[in-house]
């Protein structure tokens, strides 16, 4: 049996009792390390905290492992209980559908253990989850690659008065261009897009398109380290949020649509005072 | 301090360690009983299972209590730790924003403990969460009240190729019309909309509107008891799903938009064989 277990958003204490029970009976424990490393403080002592709690060692799986060597993990799941740990929910912001499809094709039993994800935890700002339109992803722009398909999506959501969740780019274990040329794998340091960069890119695209999907005066909500003890939630215009230091990753951004009075009331508690 | 704690979707084992820790240090524990009663088997032994796990007694709060007497609970939170338990996530399908606003206005500290909700757990069917449009609610039609504002929303989502989550009506502790006339409170038995009723109502509205937002041949996914051990997930056309007995509540329905190959592959595992 393969257990795909959501760990939630904060730290090791956000696993569910059902999840912990499953981990404890598994022979081997893998953990995805390529999306949300820092959010669990794995760079410092997060991993050992998890290992202490579980009383077992954890094999970190980077993107390569999950994409290239998943068959080994799946084969192990055929005869023994194996856990694959995922920050957030297994089907939250990042998808593990591919892994699930491969397991099912191999005839392996899979059990999903759900948890909170960014997709529902953003509800804390007061904007109602059923009033969100399509979610967009904002990728890091480079000199030559500035994809802006998020623009039409935001425009459509705004026209319908809906809120937009913007997921911000995460680059972990990206092979460096130099290393690709040399055929030897070396990695760029991890990068996490800040709210400031996201707004900068959003405004740049608006300036090019000039279709007034949004502007510096558009109301937004910025979230940093959502679900953890030191989370930060601030409501304000793009101009205001751009001036704020949200600190350590992960960040995400909501572009506010048409609000109801109760939504307004909640946002006021998070309004920035600049 | 008021803790608003999400219990997740399945049973008592879906609380997080963080949530359980908070419950254990609270002096008084309330639990909302008006939205998702049955999903936790509270009609039978669900409540005592929770009480055994927590080592404390729980006060069930129906809609009246939360709407009319919340101030008592909030006052208690001023000087002591109080827990308010919510099935799913505090800001998932049902909203507890109003309670939070009242607490904040009274200057009471509030801590939210997140968990899985229907809004992210539907990811299990393989349809990507970022490809959903606005969520709709389908209310029970009566002889004289047949609101169909969901129709335009579904139509818009379909036109954009987006999936639509339909939340189905729950009626718990509704005062009966007779009792309202007599000024004495008596309640209707609880009602939970089935997927079959939802599809019947959806098709009725399509027949009246005739704008081809969807049809009997539209692909959908039906979910029953999502997140619990005996959950049921079936993909098929409205016509196919209408013939299926999904069993006990709660049910919800997704109207499938444009799918990617990986989404199709996952749906195939859930496809009904009729």
């Amino acid at each position: 049996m393969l257990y795909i277990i959501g760990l939630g958003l904060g730290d090791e204490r956000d696993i569910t009792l059902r999840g912990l029970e499953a981990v404890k009976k598994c022979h081997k424990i893998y953990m995805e390390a390529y999306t949300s490393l820092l959010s669990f403080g794995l760079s410092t002592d997060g991993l050992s905290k998890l290992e202490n709690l579980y009383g077992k060692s954890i094999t970190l799986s980077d993107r390569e492992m999950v994409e290239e060597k998943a068959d080994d993990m799946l084969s192990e799941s055929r005869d023994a209980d194996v856990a694959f740990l995922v920050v957030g929910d297994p089907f939250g912001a990042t998808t593990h559908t591919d892994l699930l499809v491969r397991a099912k094709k191999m005839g392996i039993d899979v059990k999903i253990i759900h948890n909170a994800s960014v997709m529902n935890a953003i509800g804390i700002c007061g904007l109602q989850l059923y009033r969100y339109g399509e979610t967009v992803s904002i990728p890091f722009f480079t000199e030559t690659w500035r994809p802006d398909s998020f623009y039409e999506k935001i425009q459509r959501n705004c026209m319908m008065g809906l809120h937009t969740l913007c997921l911000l780019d995460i680059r972990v274990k990206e092979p460096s261009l130099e290393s690709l040329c040399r055929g030897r794998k070396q990695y760029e340091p991890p990068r996490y897009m800040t709210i400031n960069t996201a707004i900068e890119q959003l405004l740049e695209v608006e300036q090019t398109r000039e279709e007034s999907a949004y502007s510096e005066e558009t109301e937004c909500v910025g979230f940093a380290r959502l679900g953890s003890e030191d989370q930060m939630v601030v409501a304000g215009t793009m101009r205001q949020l751009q001036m704020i230091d949200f600190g350590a990753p992960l960040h995400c951004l909501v572009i506010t649509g048409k609000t109801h009075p109760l939504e307004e009331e909640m946002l006021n508690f998070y309004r920035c005072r600049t």
Side-chain angles (χ1 to χ4, degrees), chain A residues 149-168:
Chain A
S149 62
F150 54 77
Y151 188 82
E152 283 92 18
K153 294 176 185 172
I154 296 171
Q155 194 169 34
R156 281 197 307 229
N157 287 343
C158 289
M159 275 170 49
M160 295 185 289
L162 302 175
H163 315 309
T164 307
L165 168 60
C166 305
L167 298 172
L168 310 188

